[in-house]
Amino acid sequence: MTPRTHTRSRGHERTARRTRGAILARAVDLASIEGLEGLTIGRLASDLGMSKSGLFGHFGSKEGLQLAAVDEAATRFASEVVQPALAKPEGEQRLRALCAGYIDYLERGVFAGGCFFGAASIEFDDRPGPVGDRLRDAIGAWVGYLEEQARVAGAADPKLVAFELQALGQGANSNFRLFGDPKTFARARAAIDAVIDAQIARKPRQASQRRSGRKGKSVRG
Amino acid sequence: MTPRTHTRSRGHERTARRTRGAILARAVDLASIEGLEGLTIGRLASDLGMSKSGLFGHFGSKEGLQLAAVDEAATRFASEVVQPALAKPEGEQRLRALCAGYIDYLERGVFAGGCFFGAASIEFDDRPGPVGDRLRDAIGAWVGYLEEQARVAGAADPKLVAFELQALGQGANSNFRLFGDPKTFARARAAIDAVIDAQIARKPRQASQRRSGRKGKSVRG
DNA sequence: CTCTAGCGCACGAACGTTCGTGCGGAGCGG
DNA sequence: CCGCTCCGCACGAACGTTCGTGCGCTAGAG
């Protein structure tokens, strides 16, 4: 039972943490390909050239490994997608940056098997337990953040905007993984732009300059 | 190795086909929950109150079972989603009917674990082999059909329309499975309507007059 | 119509493998 | 020396798969 909650008093801490990090780095990639359940300890250990039991000790159970993998993936997602967008001011610009960052992250192949959460969420969507809960938290935070930025940007229905944007991003992921068509990303970007253009109310202040002729359309007040 | 190619001496044919049908009916539901790989022969057999080997004989291999499950799911999808829409004339109306049918099918819970193809496609998206191929065929046919109807309806970029519609449908599926929010379906319907409204070119005959009212229909006779 | 031969479906048991999980002991840094 | 990390090994369960067997039906001979 006692997983690893011991007081790691000495300097072995460094070594262990590094190993753990290496394990998780490979684990999230593997899980993005094979799924969180298809991620097996034996496969992961042999990939890393270490023993099953040695790896196992770091997490105490498979569920522990899965939870750690979700956290690792969330961290990677935050630094690859969310953080870069924080440079933009809140509202429409940040919302655009978040979506663009998501598509870029797919195109860049941040996870070896496409979006980690796209795969994991479908796998755990109707399974109870802490792993599903943690996934719900992570994805809920992402969608909630989209919603918040849509609200700040003045969307009439921020929840709807967040749903559409998330769906289009997820669709780009699965479509590209399934058919391998690189034009998918261009379509996703176009679709995302269209959603934001249509549903975000422009601040009257800076109504004019948009990219290349998005004139005073101002859909919805 | 000879699977079932024998001349079935008439009487048993009925029995076998019925059993096989019962197996597949449960198999697609189970696979929509646990995934096509998570679908295990032992679990399926005990669910149906039969032996592993008896069940196994119908398909010859797990891959055979998976392939049969994909076909069964495609059949169910066709009769639940596509066929009802064939009553509408091709083009915008049929496109709307297809999308509405898809959301209805999600809401109705045609598969116990949400959309079979939503789960299976993500699971097999980067795995080679006949199962993935068959899934690609089925989903490609669906998206291709959306595209075709969008083209008939006069969309400027039918591939883009098909991508968006498929993504929104898929998003509704995963969003509802994950969070259980029934408002998801209303959002999906609104998003789908918005996409079609925005991207389907009306016949110049009765131009203008868009929103809020499907009165002036007569899209392509 | 009766009896029987044969076919096909389903069964239970067992196979080899791989899964997740524990136990006890090297090996090395502090 | 101690303590932590990692390893080798073994376990029970579950996986897909194969085997030999029996029951129930159909077909055809008498």
Side-chain angles (χ1 to χ4, degrees), chain B residues 163-185:
Chain B
F163 164 75
E164 294 183 31
L165 294 176
Q166 204 268 337
L168 290 170
Q170 203 46 245
N173 177 53
S174 68
N175 210 294
F176 177 70
R177 298 309 302 178
L178 197 57
F179 298 110
D181 182 3
K183 289 186 178 174
T184 297
F185 298 125

Side-chain angles (χ1 to χ4, degrees), chain A residues 147-167:
Chain A
E147 179 188 336
E148 184 188 328
Q149 293 306 311
R151 192 184 317 273
V152 172
D157 188 346
K159 277 190 178 6
L160 176 60
V161 173
F163 164 76
E164 296 184 29
L165 295 176
Q166 204 268 337

Side-chain angles (χ1 to χ4, degrees), chain A residues 9-23:
Chain A
S9 47
R10 299 290 172 155
H12 292 283
E13 187 173 334
R14 268 267 169 78
T15 313
R17 210 175 272 276
R18 186 179 305 218
T19 306
R20 198 184 137 101
I23 293 171

Side-chain angles (χ1 to χ4, degrees), chain A residues 46-128:
Chain A
S46 87
D47 265 34
L48 292 160
M50 65 185 294
S51 70
K52 284 206 297 176
S53 51
L55 189 154
F56 186 84
H58 284 275
F59 307 99
S61 70
K62 173 154 191 187
E63 191 174 271
L65 169 63
Q66 290 173 324
L67 288 170
V70 174
D71 289 345
E72 170 73 14
T75 300
R76 195 185 284 192
F77 187 91
S79 73
E80 294 276 345
V81 178
V82 179
Q83 252 196 16
L86 297 183
K88 302 283 182 180
E90 287 200 275
E92 180 186 341
Q93 290 194 43
R94 185 171 297 178
L95 187 60
R96 289 190 190 271
L98 286 167
C99 294
Y102 183 78
I103 304 297
D104 288 350
Y105 135 101
L106 293 181
E107 205 166 19
R108 223 180 313 136
V110 168
F111 293 103
C115 181
F116 175 94
F117 295 98
S121 68
I122 286 215
E123 199 177 357
F124 277 81
D125 58 5
D126 39 17
R127 221 171 310 196

Side-chain angles (χ1 to χ4, degrees), chain B residues 51-221:
Chain B
S51 68
K52 285 205 296 175
S53 51
L55 190 154
F56 186 85
H58 283 274
F59 308 97
S61 69
K62 173 153 191 187
E63 191 175 88
L65 169 63
Q66 291 173 324
L67 288 171
V70 173
D71 290 345
E72 170 74 13
T75 300
R76 196 185 284 191
F77 187 91
S79 74
E80 295 276 345
V81 178
V82 178
Q83 253 198 15
L86 297 182
K88 301 284 182 180
E90 287 201 274
E92 180 185 342
Q93 288 193 44
R94 188 171 295 177
L95 188 60
R96 289 190 190 273
L98 286 167
C99 294
Y102 182 80
I103 304 297
D104 288 350
Y105 136 100
L106 292 181
E107 204 167 20
R108 223 178 314 135
V110 169
F111 293 103
C115 181
F116 175 94
F117 295 98
S121 68
I122 287 215
E123 199 177 359
F124 277 82
D125 59 6
D126 40 15
R127 221 171 309 195
V131 181
D133 293 344
R134 190 99 50 133
L135 278 167
R136 255 180 292 274
D137 287 349
I139 298 171
W142 164 247
V143 180
Y145 193 56
L146 291 178
E147 179 187 334
E148 183 187 329
Q149 294 305 311
R151 191 185 318 273
V152 171
D157 188 345
K159 276 189 177 8
L160 176 61
V161 173
F163 164 75
E164 294 183 31
L165 294 176
Q166 204 268 337
L168 290 170
Q170 203 46 245
N173 177 53
S174 68
N175 210 294
F176 177 70
R177 298 309 302 178
L178 197 57
F179 298 110
D181 182 3
K183 289 186 178 174
T184 297
F185 298 125
R187 290 199 191 97
R189 290 193 177 94
I192 286 168
D193 282 347
V195 164
I196 297 181
D197 288 348
Q199 303 213 31
I200 298 299
R202 226 45 85 134
K203 293 293 174 202
R205 195 93 68 87
Q206 51 189 68
S208 67
Q209 209 60 24
R210 256 306 353 67
R211 238 130 255 230
S212 81
R214 211 113 272 117
K215 297 307 178 185
K217 39 172 184 192
S218 139
V219 177
R220 183 108 214 95

